[in-house]
């Protein structure tokens, strides 16, 4: 039979349709081929008890609760470290931070992720995703002395992100400028930026010498350059037009996040939305002032909660909720006085940022790393509470497994069933880290090996978790780690030490 041109075209359409039908069906059967958008909302220093759905504190976070109440809320979800840079390193690489000597709190440092290392955004990009980070970075920039007046590289764009709009380190560290794809926003070459963490630039005021210029007083550290009335860590000169406005930071990151979603929504995308709240200096926009009655720390959490609600509505308006996984968590536990006198301690009232847990940010005790941890996927993840042990270090492997990528990291587990499919079990063991010291959680037991150093940091008033003796706790009966069983249960102690040494390789 001879086809006329029009018939030939119809034949093509017929076979094309048949092909599409077959491939669609095979997609349906093979759930591995799902490519939902991945959005990780990463708060900075948000405590387990700061989120009201965890039923611990007195703050109200209705927008996070709405997501938690339609998703899986993990009660044993961990960050990999009790401080920021190591946690972020582990989340992105799936490698324990104590394996990388440079994964400590960074100040003006160079990039600590090797550009040849596998990362979550690289894995996703290799699988056809657009990848973007908006918010705090704090993983270092460049590979030699950073020149902020030129394109800065390597940075997020060299370790897997197609797009980056970042605050380089923290809100309390200079330079107080945003960097988009390696370029300082609003850079004026007639007013170049210089940065030093050693000494001040001649003639410029500092928090230490000019307290009369401050709108927020420092308590410990934080007495370098004054920017927007706030004294910072380090010294900065120039870049007047490029300096961020602290009270607008949350709105700026949110605006950029929405803009990013609008740009990439036609393809699968990964958005790492890394909020700056409630890290110091806490500078909620005036419209949130007073809403918590806990001063700037509480107000900043209300502001972060609002941002999360706005992001959710934006996804909803764009019909993206069914096809987007939202993960909400925090980089480390809470701290009240982290260097500024902002009344976080005085105005706390009955609120308990650490929940029932002992310690806080910087601590080897539970509150250092046990954080809010919520997964949401409309129509897929059920409303439930899970007590299984999960860690941010598992994101890379779990997401890879979910989307059918073969990439795996060194230390992550494939917990995609548990995180995204309402079934499966979590980890048995997890190494916890705080300021380069490590501990082991194994099932419901905690082992903290002996460490030198102060028991409590006099500035933050947080217990470090360190002791000259072994500590052994059974979280089943002692969630607040009050009864050290190291002496009374030598058998368990030995088993835990062996397990710890097995993993840590000592
Ligand atoms: C500490 C800062 C603290 C905070 C922290 C980093 C002082 C005295 N303290 O060195 O304020 O910036 O670094 O926090 O300077 S993190 O959440 O990014 O790890
Ligand atoms: Ca942090």
């Amino acid at each position: 039979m001879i086809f006329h041109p029009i018939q030939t075209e119809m034949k093509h359409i017929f076979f094309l349709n048949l092909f599409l039908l077959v491939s669609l069906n095979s997609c349906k059967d093979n759930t591995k081929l799902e490519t939902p958008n991945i959005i990780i909302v990463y708060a900075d220093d948000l405590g387990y008890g700061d989120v009201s759905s965890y039923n611990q504190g007195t703050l109200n976070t209705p927008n996070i609760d709405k997501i938690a109440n339609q998703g899986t809320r993990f009660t044993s979800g961990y960050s990999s470290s009790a401080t920021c840079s190591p946690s972020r390193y582990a989340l992105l690489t799936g490698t324990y931070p104590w394996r990388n000597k440079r994964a400590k709190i960074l100040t003006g440092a160079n990039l600590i992720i090797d550009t040849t290392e596998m990362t979550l955004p690289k894995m996703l990009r290799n699988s056809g995703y657009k990848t973007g980070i908006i918010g705090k970075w704090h993983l270092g920039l460049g590979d030699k002395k950073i020149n902020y007046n030129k394109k800065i590289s390597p940075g997020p764009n060299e370790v897997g992100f197609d797009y980056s709009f970042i605050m380089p380190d923290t809100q309390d560290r200079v330079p107080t400028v945003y960097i988009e794809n390696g370029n300082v926003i609003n850079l004026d070459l007639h007013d170049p930026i210089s940065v030093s963490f050693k000494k001040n630039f001649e003639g410029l005021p500092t928090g230490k010498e000019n307290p009369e210029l401050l709108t927020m007083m420092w308590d410990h550290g934080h007495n370098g350059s004054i920017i927007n009335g706030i004294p910072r860590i380090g010294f900065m000169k120039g870049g007047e037009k490029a300096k961020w406005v602290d009270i607008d930071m949350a709105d700026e990151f949110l605006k950029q996040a929405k803009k990013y979603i609008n740009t990439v929504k036609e393809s699968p995308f990964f958005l790492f939305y890394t909020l700056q709240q409630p890290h110091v200096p806490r500078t909620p926009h005036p419209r949130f002032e007073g809403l918590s009655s806990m001063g700037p720390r509480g107000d900043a959490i209300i502001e972060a909660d609002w941002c999360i609600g706005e992001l959710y509505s934006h996804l909803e308006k764009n019909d993206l909720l069914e096809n987007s996984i939202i993960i909400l968590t925090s980089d480390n536990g809470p701290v009240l006085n982290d260097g500024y006198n902002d009344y976080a301690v005085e105005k706390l009232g009955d609120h308990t940022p650490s929940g029932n847990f002992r310690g806080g940010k910087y601590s080897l005790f539970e509150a250092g790393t046990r954080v809010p941890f919520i997964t949401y996927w409309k129509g897929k993840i059920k409303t439930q509470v899970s007590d299984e042990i999960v860690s941010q270090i598992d994101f890379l492997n779990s997401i890879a497994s979910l989307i059918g990528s073969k990439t795996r990291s060194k230390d992550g587990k494939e917990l995609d069933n548990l995180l995204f499919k309402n079934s499966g079990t979590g980890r048995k063991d997890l190494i916890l880290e705080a300021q380069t010291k490590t501990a082991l959680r194994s099932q419901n037991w905690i082992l903290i090996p002996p460490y030198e150093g102060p028991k409590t940091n006099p500035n933050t008033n947080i217990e470090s978790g360190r002791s000259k003796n072994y500590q052994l706790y059974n979280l089943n009966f002692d969630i607040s780690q009050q009864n050290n069983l190291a002496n009374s249960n030598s058998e368990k102690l030995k088993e835990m030490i062996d397990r710890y040494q097995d993993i840590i390789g000592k």
Side-chain angles (χ1 to χ4, degrees), residues 24-44:
L24 272 179
N25 272 336
S26 63
C27 275
K28 241 200 232 157
D29 292 344
N30 185 353
T31 45
K32 291 272 178 215
L33 290 181
E34 284 174 302
T35 51
N37 306 315
I38 308 286
I39 298 158
I40 301 181
V41 182
Y42 209 40
D44 193 1

Side-chain angles (χ1 to χ4, degrees), residues 44-45 84 88 136 279 331-332 361:
D44 193 1
D45 300 359
C84 164
R88 285 162 208 256
K136 176 175 176 174
H279 193 283
D331 67 341
N332 52 253
K361 180 176 179 177

Side-chain angles (χ1 to χ4, degrees), residues 25 37 44 56 82 105 173 195 214 345 361 402 411 413 505:
N25 272 336
N37 306 315
D44 193 1
Q56 300 280 332
I105 297 178
R173 282 166 174 75
V195 165
L214 302 179
V345 176
K361 180 176 179 177
L402 177 80
D411 297 311
K413 303 262 185 236

